[in-house]
Amino acid sequence: MLFADVILPLPLPRSFTYSVPADLQLQAGMRVIVPFGARKFYSGIVEKIHHEAPEYIVKEIISTPDDRPVANERQLNLWRWMASYYMCSIGEVMKAALPSGLKLESETQVYFNPAWIQSDELNSHEEEILNIVCNGKNLPISKIAEQYKRRDLMHVVQSLVDKEALWVEEFIAARYKPKYETYVRLHPTIDSREKLEKILLALEKAPKQSDALVHYVQLSGAFSVRGTKEVTKKELLKNSACAQAVAALVGKQIMETYPVQISRLRNDGQSGHAIPLLTAHQQAAADRVREIFREKNVVLLHGVTSGGKTEIYIHLIAEQLQKGNQVLYLLPEIALTAQIINRLKSVFGSKVGIYHSRFSDAERVEVWNHIGSPDGYSIVLGVRSSIFLPFTRLGLVVVDEEHENTYKQHDPAPRYHARDAAIVLASLHGAKVLAGTATPAIESYYNALEGKYGLVELTQRYAGMELPQIVIADISSARKQKKMQSVFHPDLLDAIEQTLKADKQCILFRNRRGFSPYVQCRICDHVPHCVHCDVSLTYHRFSEKLVCHYCGYSMDAIHRCPECGTGEMTTVGFGTEKIEDEIKIFFPQARVARLDLDTSHSRNRYEKVIAGFEYGETDILVGTQMISKGLDFDNVRLVGILNADNMLNFPDFRAFERSYQLMVQVSGRAGRAGGQGKVIIQTANPSHAVLQQVAANDYAGMYHAQLAERESFGYPPFYRLIRLTLKHKSKEIARRAAEETATLLTQIFGQRVLGPEEPLVARVQTYYLHNILLKIEKQASLPQAKKLLTDSILYIKAQPAFKSLQIVADVDPA
C-alpha cells in the first residue's frame, strides 16, 4: 500500500501520513485534499511518497486538484531549512510560501432545517442566529460571524444543531479561478467560402446579422491566404455594435462562441533599450564580482549612493539570461518596484515578472504558475515573499539594499530574514548571490571582511557626480534664539526657497506618519490611548481620526478633553501629515505630495506619487523611510531630515547603525544628476558621533565604533540572538510565566539569558508582553541551543496555569 506524508498549513510540529487511493497518481510537491480532525478538510502539499505504514490508523487522501506539482524539491528543502532554523513548523512555512489562491480550506456551511418543529425554548442568542440563517437559507459560518459579533458563535450554532433547527456540513471552495474571455468563430459546418457567400445572400433581409457576419470576416480574415485570426466577442461587438445580431447568428448555428483562458498579468513591457554601457569604475567592479564568483557564492557590493549599482546588476543579469538561467531581484519595499520595473523592462521586456502583496490572489497564482512553466519569466522582481517562488533554473539572486530591516518578517511565522533565506535558496540551486548597498548591515560587512563573503567596493558616484554637501542644523540653539519657524530651521526654509527658485525639487524626510504622534489636554495632560494596546493614539488630520499604529484601532478625533471636560486637546510633536500641511503655508505656490503608508495603501497610488515627482509634477515630496530606498530622481537638489534625534535615541543596540544607514540613504537622493546636492539634518545634538560620521560619509568609522561596542556587550556578529516573547491576556499570568521561563532558561544557559523585561509597548491587541533574550556565542552549537530552548518552551506551556500562554521565538531578531 502506498502512503504520502502531507504538509498541512497549520502550526503543527510535523507532517501527517495518509493512504493514497489506487487510482490517484501523485508526486512530491502536489496539492492534495485531505481530511483533518473531526470534520475539516485542507489542501496540503505531498512531502514524500513511501510504503511505510504509520502506527496510527491513517485516513485516505480525497483528491488532488492539480495534474502536476505546485512546489518542487528545492522549495521543499528550503521550507525544511526555514522551519528548522527559525523554530517554527513546516506547515507555517507552507502557509507563508503559497499564494492564498493555492490554499484550500473547508468552511462550515450552515443550513436551516425546513422540517424543524420548535419544541424547546430558544434563548436570545439562538434566535438571533436562527434569524440570520433563515434570511439566507444557508450561509457559510464566516458570513454569520460578520452579523453575529460575539465569541460564542460556534457554541450557539452547535446548540441549534442539537435541537435539529440547523444542520452543518463542510465544503471546499477554490479560491483561484482562471479568467476566461469569450471568442467567436464560424460554425464548423461553414467550412468553405462558397457556403459563407450563400449564407450572406440568405441574410439580406437581416441587415444587422449580415453586418455582424461581414465584420467578423473582416476581423478574422476567414478563408484568406493569411489564415483565420481569432476574434473576441468583445472585439466583434465593438465593431458591429449589435449584441442581438451576434446572438441570433449563434442561434442559427452560423457562428459559435467558445471560452479561452487568458492571463490576468499585464504584458506591456517592451524591450528596446540597449544594455547601458558601464563606466571604467563600474566595469572594474563588475569584473571583480565575476572574478570572486569563481571562488565564493556571495558577494557584497558596497557602493556609494548613485554609484551605478543597478547598471552592474543589469549586466550580470543579462549574462545569466544568455546561459538560460533565471534571476531573482529582491527589493525591500513595494514602493521601489515602479522605478526598477521600468528600468528592467526597458532592457529585458516581457522577460520580467513582478511579485508582491499588492497583486490580487489570482494574479499571484498566475505569476507562481508562470515561473514554474518552461517558458516562464526569466527575471522576477519582488519583495521578501518572492524567495518562495518555484524557480527551476535559478542562476543569480540580487539583494538590493541588503541592509534594510524590511527584509525581516516579524509576524506571523516564519520570522525569516529574506537576505539570509535567499543565500540558502541560491545554494540549493547552485546559484550566486550579489548583495548591494551603500550602507551594509554590520553583520554583512563583517562576513565580507572575514572572508565568508566576497567584497567589492564602488567608491565613486556615476559620471563623476559629487556627493551631497551635508549641513547639520542645531534646532536647540535656534529655539533659544526664537528662530525656529514651526518645525523648520531657518536654514532649511532658506534652502527650500533657493531650490524652488532654481526650478529644482526637494525631499523632506520624517520617519513618522500621521499629523501628530499624540494629542494632549492643555489642562490635565490627559493623552488618549488605544483600548487594546499600551500606546498613545496618533492624530491623523486628513481623516480626523485618532489611530493606533499597532492594531489599527481608531476613533473620531476629540477636541475637548474627555477626562476633565474643560481642557482643549492640542497636538504634540509632528509627522509627515503636519509637515505637508505646514510646508504649504510657507510655500503656497509649491506643489507638495506625501509618500507614506497612509498615501500608498492602494496598488497604484504609490506609483502615481513617485511618477508625479519623477516627471516634475511635484516640487516637494514629504515622506517616511519609503523615500530613502533606492529611488532615483534627477532633479532633486535638497533633502531635509527633520528630526535625527528621534532615530538616534531609540532604545535598541542597532539604533546608531540604523540611523546612519537611513540618513545616508535619504541623503543619497540629492544631487544625482547635474550638480551637487545639499542635505540639511535638523538635530538638538549636532556633535553626536553618528551625525559627524554621516556628514563625513564615514561608513568605516561607524562600523568600527559599533563593532567594538557589540564585541564588548555580546551582540551580533559575535553572538546569535533568539528573542522569546510571552503573551497572555492576563497581566499577572504573563509576568509569572516570564519569570518562571527566565529562571528555567538561566539554569540551562546561565548568563546568556537577559530578562524578562516589558517591551516599550507592553500590551498589544489586548495581550500583555514580556521579552526574554538569549545570547549564543558563534562557537556554540546553535541546533543544540534551539533543542534545549524548544524543550523548555514545551515544559512551560504544559503547565496548567499557562494553558493559553503564547510563546513566540524570533531567531536573529531585527
Side-chain angles (χ1 to χ4, degrees):
M1 190 173 185
L2 206 57
F3 298 93
D5 293 342
V6 177
I7 305 168
L8 297 176
L10 299 169
L12 299 169
R14 61 184 178 85
S15 54
F16 290 82
T17 302
Y18 290 84
S19 63
V20 180
D23 60 342
L24 205 59
Q25 299 297 315
L26 284 186
Q27 300 177 53
M30 289 182 73
R31 288 191 301 167
V32 287
I33 308 298
V34 295
F36 189 78
R39 286 197 296 251
K40 291 289 285 185
F41 299 92
Y42 289 94
S43 66
I45 296 289
V46 176
E47 184 178 18
K48 187 174 72 170
I49 299 171
H50 56 86
H51 293 278
E52 301 171 14
E55 295 179 356
Y56 53 86
I57 298 174
V58 297
K59 296 180 180 179
E60 190 175 67
I61 292 172
I62 296 172
S63 65
T64 176
D66 311 298
D67 56 5
R68 63 185 180 88
V70 298
N72 58 47
E73 187 58 34
R74 290 190 183 99
Q75 284 175 286
L76 295 177
N77 285 334
L78 179 67
W79 295 4
R80 294 182 189 109
W81 174 82
M82 291 182 77
S84 171
Y85 186 83
Y86 291 108
M87 298 181 67
C88 62
S89 71
I90 194 170
E92 289 173 305
V93 180
M94 172 198 160
K95 191 170 184 178
L98 291 180
S100 295
L102 291 179
K103 290 178 288 195
L104 307 178
E105 181 178 339
S106 71
E107 185 171 17
T108 304
Q109 187 88 4
V110 182
Y111 296 84
F112 173 67
N113 179 9
W116 174 64
I117 300 174
Q118 182 172 349
S119 57
D120 300 316
E121 187 175 337
L122 303 180
N123 61 41
S124 59
H125 293 181
E126 291 171 332
E127 287 181 356
E128 184 178 350
I129 294 290
L130 202 59
N131 288 334
I132 292 171
V133 178
C134 284
N135 289 336
K137 298 301 179 187
N138 63 82
L139 288 172
I141 202 76
S142 59
K143 293 295 182 183
I144 300 173
E146 289 176 7
Q147 300 178 57
Y148 182 86
K149 301 175 187 268
R150 280 187 285 273
R151 295 185 180 180
D152 62 343
L153 172 61
M154 294 308 298
H155 176 76
V156 178
V157 168
Q158 185 60 52
S159 174
L160 288 167
V161 169
D162 294 340
K163 293 175 180 178
E164 299 183 352
L166 303 176
W167 79 77
V168 297
E169 66 180 32
E170 295 294 307
F171 75 100
I172 296 179
R175 298 185 185 182
Y176 169 72
K177 294 181 180 178
K179 185 178 181 181
Y180 291 92
E181 186 159 8
T182 302
Y183 279 68
V184 292
R185 61 189 171 197
L186 293 174
H187 196 273
T189 56
I190 305 170
D191 53 7
S192 67
R193 182 179 291 276
E194 291 74 20
K195 289 183 180 180
L196 177 63
E197 289 173 350
K198 287 181 182 179
I199 288 170
L200 285 170
L201 286 172
L203 290 175
E204 286 182 349
K205 294 182 180 180
K208 289 186 178 180
Q209 294 176 34
S210 176
D211 180 59
L213 187 56
V214 168
H215 275 298
Y216 167 76
V217 173
Q218 292 171 342
L219 289 169
S220 66
F223 303 117
S224 69
V225 293
R226 300 189 313 273
T228 303
K229 170 182 169 290
E230 286 192 308
V231 178
T232 67
K233 185 177 180 182
K234 183 179 180 180
E235 189 180 2
L236 178 60
L237 293 179
K238 182 180 177 182
N239 285 271
S240 66
C242 185
Q244 292 86 352
V246 174
L249 290 171
V250 171
K252 292 178 179 179
Q253 294 192 331
I254 296 170
M255 298 185 74
E256 67 176 7
T257 61
Y258 62 100
V260 173
Q261 184 177 338
I262 61 171
S263 173
R264 293 176 170 87
L265 306 174
R266 292 182 296 180
N267 188 15
D268 53 2
Q270 297 298 319
S271 57
H273 295 73
I275 294 177
L277 294 175
L278 299 181
T279 65
H281 294 286
Q282 289 174 315
Q283 187 64 55
D287 290 343
R288 182 65 180 142
V289 169
R290 295 185 188 98
E291 182 183 338
I292 296 174
F293 271 156
R294 295 191 188 104
E295 299 178 0
K296 298 183 185 297
N297 293 325
V298 183
V299 172
L300 176 64
L301 177 59
H302 179 202
V304 294
T305 55
S306 196
K309 294 184 289 293
T310 305
E311 286 75 17
I312 295 174
Y313 299 156
I314 289 172
H315 275 256
L316 296 171
I317 288 169
E319 292 169 11
Q320 291 296 324
L321 300 194
Q322 287 175 357
K323 296 176 182 177
N325 291 334
Q326 292 172 309
V327 176
L328 171 60
Y329 194 126
L330 281 174
L331 289 163
E333 193 81 56
I334 291 172
L336 285 183
T337 57
Q339 276 197 334
I340 300 295
I341 287 166
N342 293 334
R343 295 180 72 175
L344 292 184
K345 282 197 170 182
S346 70
V347 176
F348 300 109
S350 58
K351 295 177 182 177
V352 180
I354 303 101
Y355 190 80
H356 55 61
S357 60
R358 295 282 168 85
F359 276 26
S360 68
D361 285 344
E363 287 172 318
R364 296 181 83 187
V365 170
E366 293 191 7
V367 173
W368 182 285
N369 291 335
H370 193 54
I371 288 168
S373 64
D375 58 344
Y377 292 124
S378 299
I379 306 166
V380 176
L381 190 69
V383 293
R384 61 175 180 256
S385 58
S386 325
I387 64 166
F388 294 116
L389 289 167
F391 296 101
T392 54
R393 53 188 194 281
L394 190 65
L396 175 68
V397 179
V398 175
V399 185
D400 200 10
E401 309 296 349
E402 67 85 29
H403 66 279
E404 283 289 347
N405 66 331
T406 46
Y407 279 127
K408 172 70 174 179
Q409 163 78 9
H410 294 285
D411 275 310
R415 294 169 179 84
Y416 65 98
H417 198 295
R419 177 195 61 216
D420 301 336
I423 292 172
V424 175
L425 172 70
S427 70
L428 292 171
H429 285 263
K432 304 296 184 182
V433 177
L434 180 60
T437 176
T439 54
I442 285 177
E443 291 92 330
S444 297
Y445 201 67
Y446 177 83
N447 285 334
L449 293 182
E450 291 292 304
K452 184 176 180 181
Y453 303 161
L455 177 63
V456 177
E457 305 271 6
L458 187 62
T459 57
Q460 292 194 20
R461 275 190 150 193
Y462 183 78
M465 288 182 287
E466 294 181 274
L467 286 167
Q469 174 195 2
I470 297 181
V471 176
I472 298 176
D474 187 350
I475 58 175
S476 180
S477 175
R479 283 199 183 100
K480 289 175 183 176
Q481 299 174 37
K482 300 190 183 303
K483 290 183 178 179
M484 286 292 289
Q485 299 184 57
S486 180
V487 298
F488 304 103
H489 192 281
D491 290 353
L492 179 57
L493 292 176
D494 290 343
I496 294 173
E497 185 175 2
Q498 295 303 316
T499 303
L500 296 178
K501 283 181 179 178
D503 199 26
K504 301 298 181 181
Q505 293 171 300
C506 311
I507 287 177
L508 298 179
F509 169 75
R510 169 71 165 128
N511 203 22
R512 187 183 290 273
R513 61 190 173 99
F515 187 87
S516 171
Y518 62 95
V519 294
Q520 186 174 33
C521 174
R522 291 182 185 271
I523 303 297
C524 69
D525 294 334
H526 169 70
V527 175
H529 278 65
C530 176
V531 298
H532 307 300
C533 313
D534 285 344
V535 65
S536 58
L537 296 173
T538 300
Y539 174 49
H540 288 252
R541 187 171 181 176
F542 179 77
S543 60
E544 275 298 300
K545 295 281 187 183
L546 293 172
V547 180
C548 174
H549 287 175
Y550 282 81
C551 72
Y553 168 80
S554 68
M555 59 183 286
D556 292 336
I558 51 177
H559 303 286
R560 184 69 56 188
C561 178
E563 288 292 306
C564 67
T566 57
E568 181 183 343
M569 304 301 290
T570 183
T571 59
V572 180
F574 64 97
T576 50
E577 203 175 308
K578 183 173 183 177
I579 296 168
E580 180 190 22
D581 273 13
E582 300 211 352
I583 206 69
K584 289 177 180 177
I585 297 171
F586 286 103
F587 302 99
Q589 303 305 316
R591 297 165 297 176
V592 182
R594 175 164 50 95
L595 185 65
D596 55 25
L597 194 61
D598 299 319
T599 61
S600 61
H601 55 276
S602 70
R603 174 174 164 180
N604 297 318
R605 176 62 181 161
Y606 63 88
E607 293 181 4
K608 185 176 179 181
V609 173
I610 291 171
F613 193 62
E614 186 175 8
Y615 296 128
E617 298 167 8
T618 303
D619 300 312
I620 301 173
L621 179 62
V622 179
T624 57
Q625 62 181 2
M626 278 184 169
I627 62 176
S628 73
K629 300 174 183 178
L631 294 172
D632 193 353
F633 303 115
D634 289 345
N635 205 36
V636 174
R637 287 297 174 273
L638 176 68
V639 168
I641 298 174
L642 275 81
N643 191 336
D645 306 311
N646 181 255
M647 297 179 281
L648 290 167
N649 296 328
F650 193 77
D652 184 271
F653 77 94
R654 287 194 175 95
F656 288 177
E657 176 194 5
R658 293 240 170 97
S659 299
Y660 177 90
Q661 290 168 339
L662 201 48
M663 284 187 275
V664 168
Q665 289 288 341
V666 75
S667 298
R669 303 314 107 202
R672 296 177 77 89
Q676 186 182 27
K678 186 174 185 179
V679 180
I680 297 178
I681 302 175
Q682 294 189 172
T683 175
N685 187 8
S687 61
H688 197 290
V690 171
L691 296 178
Q692 298 302 317
Q693 290 157 356
V694 171
N697 194 39
D698 183 14
Y699 175 83
M702 184 279 296
Y703 169 78
H704 289 296
Q706 294 305 303
L707 197 69
E709 284 197 9
R710 294 191 185 187
E711 188 171 21
S712 297
F713 294 102
Y715 284 103
F718 304 101
Y719 281 72
R720 292 191 180 277
L721 303 182
I722 301 177
R723 183 176 61 210
L724 295 186
T725 301
L726 290 83
K727 305 179 180 182
H728 201 279
K729 293 194 174 183
S730 164
K731 185 175 184 178
E732 176 57 26
I733 292 177
R735 182 196 61 76
R736 190 153 51 88
E739 289 177 353
E740 290 192 23
T741 304
T743 300
L744 177 62
L745 293 178
T746 302
Q747 292 171 359
I748 300 170
F749 295 102
Q751 298 303 310
R752 299 179 183 89
V753 179
L754 297 182
E757 65 171 4
E758 292 185 351
L760 281 176
V761 180
R763 186 174 66 113
V764 175
Q765 296 181 343
T766 72
Y767 282 90
Y768 291 91
L769 312 180
H770 284 78
N771 289 339
I772 299 171
L773 191 65
L774 178 62
K775 294 181 177 181
I776 303 168
E777 303 93 328
K778 271 291 181 73
Q779 302 81 4
S781 169
L782 188 61
Q784 179 63 20
K786 289 177 183 174
K787 173 69 169 60
L788 294 170
L789 184 58
T790 300
D791 291 344
S792 300
I793 292 171
L794 293 174
Y795 173 79
I796 292 293
K797 293 183 71 173
Q799 298 184 35
F802 304 140
K803 184 179 179 182
S804 55
L805 177 71
Q806 296 180 30
I807 303 181
V808 172
D810 189 359
V811 180
D812 301 336

